[in-house]
């Protein structure tokens, strides 16, 4: 009986040790899974620029798309200023939100981020675009080119820099989507997927003439910096304005 009791006790202890080791391994694996993307997130400086923390970015589709685009633009090796989530008031009291703004000597690159999946159909001339899923479900959304044009007009008003060739409009979609049929008619507008951005933006910058000095780039950044990391009240006003426009069909 004593031998059997000893063996039972030994077996029980081994199971406990096995459970503890399994839990430790689980914690280590989960830690590594979280640590690697967290380190990349921290090194990107996105939180510093946007005010969005790691989990607020990771679990928000819109924020996460902006973060991925921000990370790509951050690596461009030129004199630049990169800004995100600018809430700029218009003269009529409405607030427009710019997802990302890259300020360089060749101009101001204004980015509208669409972290969408599915098939995308659209035409620059039409108010609404369509997102189609494999199950045939369709979702209409406001023309992002028009949306970004509103952002650019807000910048023109605020900066009092109205030269059209100063501004470049970029609509960035997720790699998960297919730009099935998208018609663009303006040379200063680009609609592309995120995995095409690094190559495209580098070519555009290198092939464009410098129209700003490094000092002017920095001055524009300073003027616009107060419109980033705004409080929740301004964000709520902006969201309410969007909801009201959708209700009115504007």
């Amino acid at each position: 009986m004593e031998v059997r009791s000893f063996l039972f006790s030994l077996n029980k202890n081994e199971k406990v040790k096995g459970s503890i080791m399994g839990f430790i391994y689980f914690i280590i694996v989960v830690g590594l899974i979280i640590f690697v993307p967290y380190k990349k997130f921290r090194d990107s400086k996105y939180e510093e620029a946007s005010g969005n923390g790691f989990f607020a970015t990771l679990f928000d589709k819109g924020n996460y798309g902006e973060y991925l685009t921000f990370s790509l633009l951050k690596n461009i090796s030129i004199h630049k200023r990169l800004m995100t989530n600018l809430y700029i008031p218009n003269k009529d009291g409405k607030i427009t939100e710019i997802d990302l703004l890259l300020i360089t000597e060749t101009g101001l690159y204004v980015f509208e981020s669409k972290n969408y999946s599915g098939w995308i159909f659209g035409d620059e001339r039409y108010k609404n675009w369509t997102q189609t899923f494999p199950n045939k479900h369709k979702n209409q959304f406001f023309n992002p080119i028009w949306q970004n044009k509103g952002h650019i007009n807000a910048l023109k008003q605020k900066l009092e820099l109205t030269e059209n060739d100063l501004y470049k409009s970029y609509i960035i979609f997720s790699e998960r989507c297919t730009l099935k049929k998208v018609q663009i008619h303006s040379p200063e507008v680009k609609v592309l997927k995120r995995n095409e951005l690094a190559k495209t933006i580098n070519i555009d910058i290198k092939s464009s003439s410098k129209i700003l000095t490094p000092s002017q780039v920095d001055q524009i950044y300073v003027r616009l910096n107060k419109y980033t990391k705004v409080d929740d009240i301004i964000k709520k006003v902006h969201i309410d304005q969007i909801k009201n426009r959708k209700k009115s069909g504007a």
Side-chain angles (χ1 to χ4, degrees):
M1 291 293 293
E2 291 180 0
V3 174
R4 290 176 62 184
S5 297
F6 172 75
L7 292 175
F8 176 77
S9 176
L10 184 63
N11 185 48
K12 185 177 180 180
N13 289 336
E14 288 298 324
K15 287 183 178 180
V16 170
K17 288 180 181 178
S19 298
I20 292 173
M21 291 304 297
F23 179 72
I24 291 173
Y25 288 140
F26 173 76
I27 294 298
I28 291 172
V29 170
V30 171
L32 289 174
I33 291 173
I34 294 177
F35 176 76
V36 173
Y38 173 74
K39 185 179 185 304
K40 186 177 180 181
F41 173 82
R42 184 189 63 191
D43 293 344
S44 74
K45 307 297 183 184
Y46 175 76
E47 181 174 7
E48 181 181 328
S50 67
N52 297 322
F54 176 65
F55 289 106
T57 300
L58 188 64
F59 295 111
D60 183 285
K61 185 173 70 173
N63 289 344
Y64 189 64
E66 290 174 10
Y67 156 65
L68 293 175
T69 302
F70 181 93
S71 299
L72 288 171
L73 297 173
K74 189 77 175 176
N75 293 327
I76 298 175
S77 299
I78 55 170
H79 181 77
K80 65 182 183 299
R81 292 290 189 170
L82 181 57
M83 311 182 77
T84 184
N85 301 132
L86 291 89
Y87 288 81
I88 299 180
N90 294 323
K91 291 180 179 179
D92 59 5
K94 295 179 181 178
I95 298 172
T96 186
E97 181 190 3
I98 298 173
D99 289 339
L100 291 150
L101 174 64
L102 179 67
I103 312 169
T104 77
E105 293 172 79
T106 60
L108 279 68
Y109 296 78
V110 186
F111 297 85
E112 175 61 27
S113 176
K114 297 296 183 187
N115 199 24
Y116 292 175
S117 58
W119 286 2
I120 306 300
F121 298 85
D123 189 303
E124 181 180 348
R125 298 168 298 183
Y126 302 143
K127 179 179 178 180
N128 292 314
W129 287 21
T130 303
Q131 176 188 27
T132 303
F133 297 98
N135 63 3
K136 307 302 181 183
H137 175 73
K138 294 182 179 182
N139 174 49
Q140 284 200 328
F141 59 98
F142 185 66
N143 184 333
I145 298 175
W146 291 15
Q147 189 176 1
N148 220 27
K149 187 175 181 179
H151 300 160
I152 290 172
N153 287 336
L155 283 173
K156 287 180 177 179
Q157 289 180 12
K158 195 58 59 178
L159 295 173
E160 297 180 343
L161 298 171
T162 58
E163 298 87 347
N164 289 328
D165 60 349
L166 185 62
Y167 302 89
K168 332 286 183 180
S169 179
Y170 278 68
I171 314 301
I172 309 300
F173 282 90
S174 164
E175 300 93 332
R176 297 176 294 111
C177 80
T178 299
L179 300 178
K180 196 67 175 176
K181 189 176 180 182
V182 176
Q183 299 293 324
I184 311 302
H185 308 282
S186 302
E188 74 279 3
V189 173
K190 297 284 174 63
V191 178
L192 62 155
K193 300 197 318 188
R194 193 162 40 238
N195 56 356
E196 304 169 311
L197 175 58
K199 180 179 179 181
T200 302
I201 193 74
N202 275 294
I203 291 173
D204 287 353
I205 289 174
K206 288 178 182 178
S207 62
S208 300
S209 301
K210 293 183 179 181
I211 49 183
L212 296 172
T213 65
S215 177
Q216 288 174 320
V217 169
D218 296 339
Q219 288 171 11
I220 291 172
Y221 171 80
V222 171
R223 290 181 64 183
L224 294 176
N225 196 45
K226 64 182 178 180
Y227 301 110
T228 64
K229 291 183 282 188
V230 300
D231 59 38
D232 291 338
I233 295 176
I234 293 178
K235 291 180 181 179
K236 186 178 184 306
V237 169
H238 174 61
I239 292 171
D240 289 343
Q241 289 176 347
I242 293 174
K243 289 179 179 177
N244 290 335
R245 284 201 295 272
K246 287 182 177 179
K247 287 180 180 178
S248 64

